Amino acid sequence: MALSGMRGLSVFISDVRNCQNKEQERLRVDKELGNIRIRFKNEKGLTPYEKKKYVWKMLYIYMLGYDVDFGHMEAVSLISAPKYPEKQVGYIVTSCLLNENHDFLRLAINSVRNDIIGRNETFQCLALTMVGNIGGREFAESLAPDVQKLLISSSCRPLVRKKAALCLLRLYRKNPDVVNVDGWSDRMTQLLDERDMGVLTSVMSLLVALVSNNHDAYWNCLPKCVKTLERLARNQDIPQEYTYYGIPSPWLQVKTMRVLQYFPTIEDPNTRRSLFDVLQRILMGTDVVKNVNKNNASHAVLFEALALVMHLDAEKEMMSQCVALLGKFIAVREPNIRYLGLENMTRMLMVTDVQDIIKRHQAQIITSLKDPDISIRRRALDLLYGMCDVTNAKDIVEELLQYLSTADFAMREELALKAAILAEKFAPDLSWYVDVILQLIDKAGDFVSDDIWFRVVQFVTNNEDLQPYAAAKAREYLDKPALHETMVKVSAYLLGEYSHLLARRPGCSPKEIFAIIHEKLPTVSTATVAILLSTYAKILMHTQPPDPELQQQIWAIFNKYESYIDAEIQQRAVEYFVLSRKGVALMDILAEMPKFPERQSALLKKAEDTEVDTAEQSAIKLRTQQQTSNALTVTDQPPVNGSVPVSQLTLVKMPSTTYNKDANFVEQGLTQANGTSSRLDSQTSLPSEDLLGDLLGPLAIEGPPGAGVPTEQNMVSGLEASPNESDALALAPIGEQSNSVQPIGNIAERFHALCLKDSGVLYEDPYIQIGIKADWRAHQGRLVLFLGNKNTSPLLSVQALILPPAHLKMELSLVPETIPPRAQVQCPLEVVNIRPSRDVAVLDLSYKFGTTMVNVKLRLPAVLNKFLHPISMSAEEFFPQWRSLTGPPLKLQEVVRGVKPLSLPEMANLFNSFQLTVSPGLDPNPDNLVASSTFYSESTRAMLCLIRVETDPSDRTQLRMTVASGDPALTFELKEFIKEQLVSIPTAPSTPPAPQTQPPVATAGLTDPGAMLAGLL
């Protein structure tokens, strides 16, 4: 924009830039908008220069992010101005301020058309640019024919024709049914003879859109495209300005090869030969050089050529050449080039007879599996998975199993799934398949879905020769001291069905089998207890004649669980006890499971559902896996019918995998086999992923092996008992993930400190320091996370994920995967408060230092009081508002006991620190205090909050609190928030609060309604 000579605009821009804060900027902008509005009302007195100046100001204000809801007509009217400066402003501002459906655009169509069909090339370019940018349907209907005439006109300069081609491309993409391209095949053929490279590049872009919609109509363009490619490959008549680092117009080469990929095949032998000569030249002439820009351009051409070679199904010799070239790429140090090599090699697997050639690079691909970059590791895994067959399955699966123990947590589930599928598809014998699955479960039980062990049970059940071997392997694994619960499940099932086949082996008598399985009972969850009960019943069934001692032991267990709180386990225990007294008849009732019907593997279907190809899809999948992993959720019981419920903090262990309905038949079969056979009541089926049961049942949290039934003390695994349960959420490790790295300082204290101030350290350990700086405005906030590497070695595999509660919208900018030594990175985090709530957001951070993997979950101080704005009120303002809010749910009152004794000034300071302004002297009783504030959220906007606290001078450990606002949810949440702060005022966390030894005292000052401000409050 040429702003010289427009003093008023320059002064306005300087004024805006000199504003000290956002409020000053808004005031200056509002003043200017008011001035512009007044001047536009008296439009007749405006000169063209003044109108242009004010429209420029409107555009600048719009670019600053402010709404400009007037002056559109003035901007549109400048399009018809006779002079270039005013016309330029009209076109630019109209393109920016108005969308394609705006009514004012209809008024400009005639002016725009006059410029397009006129003789002034500058005006034509302005009009074509605006039409292309807006691309509306009415523009397409009215102006597309004129744009088409400009494109094929021999009298127009190349600059205009280039813009006409791009404008027509935009109109066609937006409105393919409106733009008439019938019979354009011959015209496009003529346009492909264009010698001007700019026009030819624009025309090729248009041709890509046309052939993607209907390639049959443009067959006569194909030879011209090949000739264009030949011209570029031989660098014939290519102007210097279109040569990029020695590469003739790489953009045009890529577009031309993209066009050729839309045609199904090329029949003409001469054309095909010419094209393959060009592709051969590209393949031979591309290499990795030090210049990054040249690499980018040459590789863009190369990979488009590879895609075309695959599309044309070239001869095997050329395919071998392509694979050899990609083999060089996956061996270089530059990670971007390695990634592209692996990705394109994966795509080449779709071509027949290439797999054997790719196998030659198997060792290098396996090396990429250990690359520091997770995206490269993912591509290497995809490639290994795709290139696996009977000949190399054993080597690849063994490599995957070896890599599994050191792989990132984000990859382990996919890794386990693919290893299981490869073992199933290409197993040289079934015993090897059983070995692989059991190793999978042993090494990565947390990441092995139930579908995998369901599948191995199907194979063992359907193959009698495999049953003794599988039972023996399961018996071996049970000797291990630490065993994953999934291994307990599959071992118990296999030994329940087939342990009688091992009776003659040492250590495999029914008593010994029962004893070693029973050792695991106290360490497992409810779902596994049900399987173990079924196993005990099966062992009794196979022990004929019965062993009295073993029988008594098992009956004692059934008796114990007959009164268990879980209905499923209770029913099994009762039924098994009754059935086991039937003697030989038990053999018929608990007969072995029949063979499963042959169906498509649920694992294969799951892999198809989760198949990824591009880097973007991989990133989406990674985020999804992280968001559905063992996540911490803090929930509160909402108000019901205006009542005041007791706040609940619940830790919910979210399932990391989704229950697959296709595996249901396996699951039911397992239940029937381990239960009382299919003849029993159907209520005995036991879904292993019963989410509702997980949330509502007695074992809402699965502890690690050895935890047994979780109690209130060990509900947060890996943390010592805390004086306040919410403090334990500050670190919140999950499941069995316990870090060997200890934090520096008290995490809960740091969190509470940041709830009161806007900057400080959130977390620190020997390797990393996480700081926060925040800015809160109304219902929005901007936090900056400072991640600092404290060491002389880099932090690798850095991943940060925000787990927001439902009432917050949070967006974290990209976190770099590596933090260099002694470096600090800044990651902005945008926060929007949707509605009042005390739930907290959690930062899930993981990184790797050397061989140490650290994962922490930290509460973020985006808490309720951050969206409060202090406001001071006089008696004349306070009392009318207080009286207007009458009774629940808008006004809630509660007697709070167990408060830490505070003097009234100390309590007032505490309230002020939470943005609740205490108004001294407003309450005539000197032992009471009154506070007010304004709460901001998207749903409530600015909402006044009023608080009154009545204290008892004789007992400072209790008080009566009344909270009022215009929103029931806000009233409840604010009351509970203040109560939590008063009851658990942060002190040294190592010292638990002293228990109340004396009963609460009901004092008249707290319970007598007549004490309330003498009727004023």
Side-chain angles (χ1 to χ4, degrees):
M1 300 178 190
L3 303 182
S4 58
M6 300 184 67
R7 177 172 171 75
L9 177 59
S10 301
V11 170
F12 171 62
I13 293 175
S14 297
D15 289 348
V16 170
R17 288 178 174 173
N18 291 331
C19 290
Q20 299 297 314
N21 52 49
K22 195 71 176 174
E23 195 59 37
Q24 286 185 15
E25 180 184 291
R26 180 178 288 280
L27 291 173
R28 181 67 183 89
V29 167
D30 288 344
K31 178 183 176 183
E32 194 63 40
L33 286 174
N35 180 47
I36 296 172
R37 195 186 294 270
I38 293 171
R39 297 307 301 270
F40 279 169
K41 284 183 179 178
N42 189 22
E43 189 179 355
K44 293 181 180 178
L46 285 179
T47 65
Y49 166 81
E50 289 177 320
K51 184 185 288 189
K52 176 182 68 172
K53 178 179 68 175
Y54 291 132
V55 171
W56 271 137
K57 287 184 179 180
M58 285 168 45
L59 178 60
Y60 181 68
I61 291 170
Y62 175 78
M63 290 166 64
L64 288 175
Y66 297 94
D67 290 333
V68 178
D69 55 359
F70 70 95
H72 300 157
M73 187 64 194
E74 285 74 10
V76 172
S77 66
L78 285 174
I79 291 176
S80 57
K83 295 183 179 179
Y84 174 77
E86 288 79 17
K87 190 180 286 287
Q88 179 202 30
V89 177
Y91 274 120
I92 291 176
V93 177
T94 302
S95 321
C96 294
L97 292 186
L98 305 185
N99 63 36
E100 61 184 75
N101 299 317
H102 203 287
D103 292 337
F104 281 169
L105 284 179
R106 296 173 185 167
L107 305 176
I109 287 180
N110 286 334
S111 299
V112 174
R113 186 171 187 274
N114 290 334
D115 286 337
I116 288 177
I117 64 178
R119 293 292 181 181
N120 190 315
E121 293 176 346
T122 306
F123 291 177
Q124 285 177 323
C125 290
L126 286 174
L128 290 170
T129 301
M130 189 191 82
V131 173
N133 282 334
I134 293 179
R137 191 174 186 85
E138 292 194 35
F139 273 7
E141 291 172 347
S142 306
L143 304 176
D146 297 314
V147 176
Q148 289 171 315
K149 288 177 184 177
L150 275 185
L151 176 59
I152 61 177
S153 171
S154 58
S155 60
C156 286
R157 287 178 58 195
L159 175 65
V160 177
R161 297 176 63 209
K162 179 172 69 173
K163 287 188 177 289
L166 296 176
C167 179
L168 187 60
L169 170 62
R170 167 74 167 165
L171 293 176
Y172 182 74
R173 282 177 176 167
K174 291 277 290 182
N175 314 282
D177 57 324
V178 173
V179 180
N180 184 12
V181 291
D182 293 339
W184 260 67
S185 178
D186 294 336
R187 292 177 181 175
M188 291 303 298
T189 307
Q190 295 169 8
L191 289 170
L192 290 175
D193 290 327
E194 180 65 45
R195 304 306 294 176
D196 184 275
M197 296 299 294
V199 176
L200 184 57
T201 304
S202 301
V203 167
M204 199 64 75
S205 298
L206 176 60
L207 184 59
V208 170
L210 294 173
V211 296
S212 66
N213 203 28
N214 179 18
H215 70 269
D216 286 330
Y218 296 93
W219 275 102
N220 53 352
C221 294
L222 192 148
K224 291 290 180 70
C225 289
V226 175
K227 288 186 181 298
T228 301
L229 212 52
E230 282 185 288
R231 174 187 167 194
L232 292 167
R234 293 190 170 91
N235 203 356
Q236 295 175 341
D237 304 326
I238 307 299
Q240 186 62 35
E241 60 266 26
Y242 284 93
T243 303
Y244 186 79
Y245 287 90
I247 304 166
S249 189
W251 308 277
L252 182 55
Q253 291 191 53
V254 168
K255 291 176 189 293
T256 307
M257 287 187 282
R258 184 68 53 84
V259 168
L260 293 173
Q261 290 175 58
Y262 283 105
F263 295 100
T265 184
I266 299 176
E267 301 293 345
D268 182 52
N270 293 328
T271 305
R272 188 178 176 89
R273 190 182 313 112
S274 300
L275 180 56
F276 278 119
D277 288 344
V278 173
L279 295 174
Q280 184 78 25
R281 185 186 294 266
I282 294 173
L283 294 176
M284 295 291 292
T286 305
D287 206 349
V288 179
V289 297
K290 289 185 177 180
N291 190 300
V292 176
N293 292 324
K294 183 171 184 178
N295 272 338
N296 290 340
S298 62
H299 293 161
V301 175
L302 172 67
F303 290 124
E304 202 64 49
L306 288 174
L308 184 55
V309 167
M310 288 186 280
H311 174 73
L312 296 173
D313 199 12
E315 290 79 6
K316 189 170 184 180
E317 184 180 348
M318 183 172 278
M319 289 293 184
S320 302
Q321 190 177 347
C322 293
V323 175
L325 186 61
L326 291 175
K328 290 182 183 177
F329 276 48
I330 66 175
V332 300
R333 294 182 62 182
E334 171 60 37
N336 291 331
I337 297 175
R338 278 206 311 282
Y339 179 92
L340 291 170
L342 290 166
E343 185 178 45
N344 281 272
M345 201 175 273
T346 305
R347 288 176 179 166
M348 292 204 75
L349 287 169
M350 295 183 291
V351 182
T352 54
D353 300 330
V354 179
Q355 195 163 347
D356 290 337
I357 309 170
I358 293 177
K359 284 181 189 176
R360 300 171 191 168
H361 303 277
Q362 182 172 314
Q364 185 61 47
I365 298 167
I366 290 172
T367 303
S368 298
L369 202 60
K370 302 173 179 66
D371 194 276
D373 190 324
I374 189 171
S375 58
I376 292 177
R377 296 197 296 273
R378 284 188 176 281
R379 296 282 78 79
L381 175 60
D382 291 341
L383 180 52
L384 284 172
Y385 177 71
M387 65 187 279
C388 187
D389 60 18
V390 179
T391 62
N392 61 359
K394 224 169 183 180
D395 295 335
I396 289 179
V397 171
E398 285 175 5
E399 284 290 343
L400 295 183
L401 287 173
Q402 185 178 349
Y403 174 56
L404 192 60
S405 54
T406 58
D408 294 278
F409 289 109
M411 284 184 64
R412 288 193 183 182
E413 186 172 344
E414 182 184 356
L415 195 61
L417 176 64
K418 289 187 171 178
I421 291 172
L422 294 179
E424 178 181 333
K425 287 174 68 175
F426 305 114
D429 57 77
L430 289 178
S431 59
W432 177 79
Y433 168 73
V434 171
D435 289 341
V436 169
I437 300 302
L438 293 181
Q439 284 184 61
L440 268 182
I441 297 172
D442 185 47
K443 291 185 175 183
D446 284 331
F447 304 92
V448 175
S449 66
D450 282 346
D451 294 326
I452 293 176
W453 80 268
F454 289 166
R455 190 65 178 159
V456 77
V457 163
Q458 289 182 42
F459 270 103
V460 174
T461 304
N462 289 4
N463 294 274
E464 292 183 12
D465 296 341
L466 190 61
Q467 292 166 1
Y469 180 81
K473 294 298 290 186
R475 173 65 183 83
E476 287 178 22
Y477 275 101
L478 283 176
D479 285 329
K480 287 196 168 188
L483 208 59
H484 192 274
E485 189 166 337
T486 305
M487 183 63 79
V488 176
K489 289 180 183 178
V490 68
S491 298
Y493 177 87
L494 292 174
L495 290 172
E497 290 288 336
Y498 310 116
S499 61
H500 62 285
L501 302 176
L502 311 176
R504 297 182 180 180
R505 300 191 186 189
C508 294
S509 67
K511 272 187 181 180
E512 291 169 313
I513 295 288
F514 165 74
I516 197 165
I517 293 177
H518 189 53
E519 284 178 10
K520 315 299 179 186
L521 183 64
T523 68
V524 297
S525 64
T526 310
T528 310
V529 170
I531 294 177
L532 296 187
L533 293 181
S534 301
T535 300
Y536 299 160
K538 290 274 185 175
I539 290 173
L540 272 185
M541 181 266 290
H542 286 303
T543 311
Q544 297 295 335
D547 182 330
E549 185 182 350
L550 176 62
Q551 193 177 57
Q552 289 301 323
Q553 288 177 320
I554 294 177
W555 282 356
I557 296 169
F558 289 159
N559 287 329
K560 175 184 174 183
Y561 283 98
E562 280 182 351
S563 56
Y564 194 69
I565 191 169
D566 184 271
E568 170 67 27
I569 291 179
Q570 184 185 122
Q571 182 177 350
R572 288 192 181 218
V574 170
E575 293 178 351
Y576 291 159
F577 180 71
V578 174
L579 290 171
S580 61
R581 301 172 72 90
K582 293 186 176 294
V584 181
L586 191 62
M587 296 287 289
D588 295 327
I589 300 171
L590 294 184
E592 287 185 10
M593 272 292 294
K595 291 185 178 181
F596 289 94
E598 292 298 329
R599 302 189 188 183
Q600 181 192 6
S601 169
L603 297 183
L604 292 174
K605 187 176 187 308
K606 188 173 183 180
E608 291 168 4
D609 294 341
T610 57
E611 200 65 45
V612 295
D613 185 40
T614 66
E616 182 181 357
Q617 288 171 304
S618 287
I620 293 170
K621 181 179 177 184
L622 173 60
R623 287 195 294 271
T624 306
Q625 286 175 336
Q626 289 174 328
Q627 288 168 352
T628 58
S629 65
N630 294 339
L632 177 75
T633 305
V634 183
T635 60
D636 285 78
Q637 183 179 345
V640 181
N641 300 327
S643 62
V644 186
V646 178
S647 174
Q648 291 183 338
L649 283 174
T650 308
L651 296 181
V652 181
K653 183 173 180 183
M654 304 300 288
S656 59
T657 55
T658 306
Y659 173 64
N660 192 332
K661 292 181 181 177
D662 292 326
N664 194 30
F665 75 96
V666 186
E667 204 167 357
Q668 290 173 350
L670 293 180
T671 304
Q672 291 170 1
N674 284 280
T676 56
S677 86
S678 57
R679 281 171 277 181
L680 287 182
D681 193 286
S682 61
Q683 290 180 352
T684 57
S685 63
L686 178 65
S688 65
E689 293 282 356
D690 184 1
L691 302 187
L692 189 62
D694 286 346
L695 293 174
L696 302 180
L699 297 180
I701 301 169
E702 294 182 17
V709 179
T711 63
E712 293 180 3
Q713 284 74 27
N714 65 7
M715 286 181 75
V716 182
S717 172
L719 287 179
E720 294 180 2
S722 172
N724 187 335
E725 193 177 74
S726 65
D727 287 353
L729 301 180
L731 181 58
I734 288 174
E736 298 178 17
Q737 300 175 20
S738 58
N739 296 321
S740 59
V741 177
Q742 294 301 316
I744 298 173
N746 188 295
I747 297 174
E749 283 185 352
R750 293 186 190 276
F751 170 74
H752 285 299
L754 285 169
C755 289
L756 301 178
K757 58 183 182 179
D758 290 332
S759 62
V761 176
L762 178 68
Y763 172 81
E764 186 176 6
D765 63 30
Y767 308 130
I768 195 171
Q769 184 185 69
I770 305 173
I772 281 187
K773 188 173 182 180
D775 181 31
W776 305 95
R777 296 186 183 182
H779 66 287
Q780 296 177 327
R782 178 180 173 84
L783 289 79
V784 180
L785 300 178
F786 297 87
L787 308 180
N789 183 355
K790 299 165 59 177
N791 293 272
T792 55
S793 300
L795 299 182
L796 306 174
S797 304
V798 180
Q799 294 182 2
L801 180 72
I802 301 296
L803 308 173
H807 76 285
L808 293 178
K809 284 191 291 190
M810 307 183 81
E811 183 175 352
L812 179 65
S813 65
L814 188 66
V815 177
E817 193 167 302
T818 301
I819 302 179
R822 299 288 184 183
Q824 184 186 74
V825 297
Q826 301 181 18
C827 306
L829 172 63
E830 303 292 337
V831 182
V832 177
N833 185 29
I834 303 172
R835 59 181 178 274
S837 176
R838 289 167 294 121
D839 293 349
V840 291
V842 174
L843 169 66
D844 185 349
L845 178 80
S846 63
Y847 67 91
K848 187 176 183 181
F849 181 84
T851 58
T852 305
M853 193 73 193
V854 182
N855 176 243
V856 291
K857 293 180 174 59
L858 306 163
R859 286 183 300 171
L860 291 174
V863 288
L864 184 73
N865 63 291
K866 298 295 185 181
F867 305 104
L868 293 174
H869 184 73
I871 179 174
S872 181
M873 301 182 71
S874 63
E876 292 76 16
E877 296 169 324
F878 185 93
F879 293 140
Q881 295 286 347
W882 183 266
R883 293 193 193 99
S884 66
L885 300 168
T886 56
L890 299 181
K891 183 184 286 184
L892 298 176
Q893 186 178 105
E894 183 176 354
V895 175
V896 183
R897 297 183 173 88
V899 178
K900 181 185 175 183
L902 293 174
S903 66
L904 215 58
E906 289 175 331
M907 188 176 293
N909 289 336
L910 180 67
F911 273 56
N912 287 325
S913 68
F914 283 108
Q915 310 297 319
L916 302 169
T917 304
V918 176
S919 302
L922 201 60
D923 191 320
N925 187 337
D927 294 318
N928 299 343
L929 60 83
V930 174
S932 54
S933 187
T934 306
F935 177 78
Y936 290 91
S937 70
E938 268 191 353
S939 60
T940 62
R941 295 299 173 184
M943 181 69 68
L944 184 64
C945 307
L946 308 175
I947 301 101
R948 180 182 184 229
V949 176
E950 303 164 81
T951 66
D952 181 11
S954 63
D955 185 2
R956 289 288 183 185
T957 64
Q958 59 178 347
L959 52 84
R960 181 163 65 189
M961 177 172 59
T962 310
V963 179
S965 78
D967 179 63
L970 173 58
T971 303
F972 170 75
E973 294 291 343
L974 183 58
K975 177 182 72 69
E976 294 299 311
F977 174 81
I978 298 172
K979 184 173 71 172
E980 287 173 0
Q981 305 310 317
L982 292 172
V983 172
S984 60
I985 296 168
T987 57
S990 58
T991 307
Q996 267 187 302
T997 55
Q998 53 185 350
V1001 180
T1003 58
L1006 293 178
T1007 56
D1008 183 8
M1012 293 183 61
L1013 279 186
L1016 290 176
L1017 296 178

